[in-house]
Amino acid sequence: MLRVVAFKKAILAGVVGAFAWDATSRILSVAGVPVLDLVRELGTLVVPDGRPIEWWPPGILAHALVGAGWALFYAYFFWGRFRWPPAIQGLAFSAIPALLATLIVIPQLELMHLPEHAVRLDWRWYLGGLEQTKLVGLLVGHAVFGLTVGAIYTRPVGYPVDRRPNLRCAARRNRSRPRGKRTQRDGAFIFATGIECSYPTIDRGRWRRDEMDGIRHYDVWQQDFALAREIGVSHLRYGPPLHLIYDAPGSFRWELIDEAMADLAEYGPEPIVDLCHFGVPDWLGNFQNPGVAPALSEYASAFAHRYPWVRFYTPVNEMYVCARMSALDGVWNEQLQDEAAFITAAFNLTSASVRMTDAILTARPDAVFVNSESSEFYQPCCPDPEIEALAAIENERRFLPLDLLYAREVSDAMLDRLKEDGWEDDYRGFMARKAPRRTILGVDYYEWNEKLIDQDGRKRALGELFGWYVIASQYWERYRRTMMHTETNRIDASDAPRWLWRQWHNVQLLRRAGVPLVGFTWYSLTDQIDWGIALSEAEGTVDPVGLFDLNRDPRAVGLSYFHLINMHRDRPEYRECGALMELLA
Amino acid sequence: MAGFLSAHGYAPGPTQRPVLAGAISGLIATLPAIAILSAFGSLAVEGAILGLSTLRTVGLGVPVMALAGALYGWLFGRAANDRRGGWLFGMAFGFALWASGAVMLIPLFTGGLAPAGKAAIGLFLSLVAWGAALGLLYPFVHRPLHESVEKAAERTGPTTGTRRMDRR
């Protein structure tokens, strides 16, 4: 699948566009402008000598069908490719059907109206073209069609926050029952993948992005779990849709995931449950709300009691990224661009993570916490004190949520900033806390994680300069926690197998260096939607980063991961991963 | 469109057999196309233009459409497996065949002779229907032709993307 296409919306746009064209033609006709009446041309193919009342219905039906087809074509191949207003995108697109109509379709319609079965044409007929007035009418008609389609067909993915998607995910279908029960080797190295599950809001909190909806996981969750088992992963990073489940304080719609969780419990892979992934339910607002932490604590507690067999948790995914995108870069949720708002979001997110952890431990004292965070690194481009200072700030800021979570003191400069914003008491509270023993620091890595601060103070993606080994080592040196590679992928599908093996070699090297590293993850199981633009708009563009595409056909990297897992999982050092065994003991 | 397909990872991958799947689907899709051609009398007209009997016209058309199906599989690659959009891609391909083959090439090779009237309508509808059927069938035909993950994975080892270094 290339695009997530909203079929109903596209068909509606095409049909309305066809009617708008016809209405325009009639108005121009009444005004005395000679135009090509395409509906009549089509209708009289069916009713050759009929009256308007006879040819109009089949004519407009054919016109609307063709319009719907073109609108779908627009939705697949054109929509969102240019940063223009939607109606203008539609207008530009209409040049394609207009050209085909002028050169091929209209002359052929003329032939179809002839009483003969065959005719002999000469080149003059081909080059004769349309009368100018008719040509203008045709172009105007297409322009009206394009403007209408463009104006109607927007946002093919996601939904308004106040409207729930019509989920069909609850029922488990028996026809694809897995063959074997879950067989879990405790303490074996974790080979994982994940179901991409981000659900932030955009458009000032009015539009919900929901990746699980976009990739159709709600419809085909059973198939997705089967594919994860086929690849051979032992663990699955899985984020139930918090925004759909957590209805109101004390109210949870567990029926949305009961069947899916039962399937994982019975057949595997073992889930690493991701409780908060870049968004909160509508009624909680956004990450500036201090009520987020107690509310999510209630959710975590209810979850742990509902599914007591779940052992691995990620209470809040990538806190730094979430705070940054929501409150500093202005892309998601509160969409602020403010240092103080970033710190507020970071404190609220970390506070949520801590309280959720405590709540889960009450229900499941031996729970394991995988605190996934995006590894980042900023390199100053040049020996300019200002640029170096900017890089230093960024390199300090990337650690803030983890520093709070793992009670590691921040730098003096950062502490001054926290005091200035009135966070000193909360900071001291975090520093007085001891993180649970069964905690894994998850370090995510993508090729854009290493950045250069250029002469103008702007960020540029450096690509894989130092690599995961070096960046993860910085996190190891800082926190000295058991670690896991919790996310990686490559947006260029053809290069993904090479990237997978490179990441794996980094993991092996870090293990050999003595770092307690317990797992590796290719993220995600399937392709994702709009991560190329950080979910900032509802485009529906598919990023081919998955082990499987959205038709659920394996990608080359899926086969490579299968190969990698088979090559390593039964080797003694992976069958019994000392660091994980120690952690679970 | 090709650029867009390419950017979105449409290369089929080691488990898939797009050309074979396209050829088989193209072959099966000729059934509704022949039915439409017959219903509109286009088959006889087409045969007359080409100087062939109806039977020979069908005999020539069937392998050509299988070949066209193979071309579809090769061109659209991974995207052709889309169960929701396949019919649309197939229809677009059928339209392109009509525009290039029936509209341009036939008159070119027959001294300007072209079907008209009902026969022309039938020819157009048959190719669009053939395309829609091709696109609809393709994912279902392709699925059982896939090579197993186990077998295909053997070719995706740790040397993927590396270069052998010559001894110096």
Side-chain angles (χ1 to χ4, degrees), chain B residues 1-130:
Chain B
M1 193 169 82
F4 184 76
L5 285 167
S6 175
H8 292 277
Y10 83 121
T15 59
Q16 302 192 15
R17 295 181 172 108
V19 174
L20 180 62
I24 296 171
S25 309
L27 203 62
I28 303 171
T30 52
L31 293 174
I34 290 171
I36 292 171
L37 285 171
S38 299
F40 280 80
S42 315
L43 212 49
V45 173
E46 195 74 4
I49 288 174
L50 294 171
L52 299 169
S53 67
T54 304
L55 204 65
R56 284 194 174 197
T57 309
V58 174
L60 180 72
V62 168
V64 167
M65 297 323 278
L67 211 64
L71 179 68
Y72 170 78
W74 179 73
L75 273 176
F76 278 78
R78 191 175 283 271
N81 295 316
D82 187 346
R83 290 183 189 192
R84 292 184 81 207
W87 62 273
L88 181 74
F89 306 156
M91 256 173 69
F93 186 69
F95 179 88
L97 275 191
W98 170 74
S100 56
V103 174
M104 305 282 181
L105 290 181
I106 290 180
L108 196 68
F109 289 111
T110 58
L113 272 177
K118 222 172 126 185
I121 299 173
L123 190 60
F124 169 74
L125 289 179
S126 72
L127 278 166
V128 172
W130 173 83

Side-chain angles (χ1 to χ4, degrees), chain A residues 2 7 72 76-77 108 111-112 114 116-121 126 230 501 541-542 549 551 553-555 559-560 562-563, chain B residues 1 5 8-9 14 16 45 78 81-82 84-85 87 103 107 111-117 143 146 149 153 156-158:
Chain A
L2 312 160
F7 261 62
L72 281 166
Y76 264 103
F77 295 106
Q108 286 297 311
L111 283 185
M112 289 174 187
L114 296 175
E116 296 95 330
H117 292 307
V119 290
R120 189 174 292 280
L121 307 171
Y126 274 107
E230 188 181 352
W501 287 104
T541 302
V542 175
D549 66 19
N551 297 318
D553 287 320
R555 289 200 175 275
L559 304 174
S560 292
F562 178 91
H563 190 124
Chain B
M1 193 169 82
L5 285 167
H8 292 277
Q16 302 192 15
V45 173
R78 191 175 283 271
N81 295 316
D82 187 346
R84 292 184 81 207
W87 62 273
V103 174
L113 272 177
R143 177 67 65 171
H146 279 197
V149 168
T156 58

Side-chain angles (χ1 to χ4, degrees), chain A residues 1 32 47 70 89 97 102 104 108 114 128 165 328 354 376 380 412 422 468 474 498 518 527-528 531-532 549 551 582:
Chain A
M1 189 189 285
V47 193
W70 275 114
Q89 290 185 41
T102 309
I104 296 169
Q108 286 297 311
L114 296 175
L328 200 59
V354 166
E376 306 268 333
D412 290 343
W468 189 77
Q474 294 179 352
R498 188 189 67 95
V518 300
D527 291 350
Q528 302 175 8
W531 264 107
D549 66 19
N551 297 318
E582 198 179 306

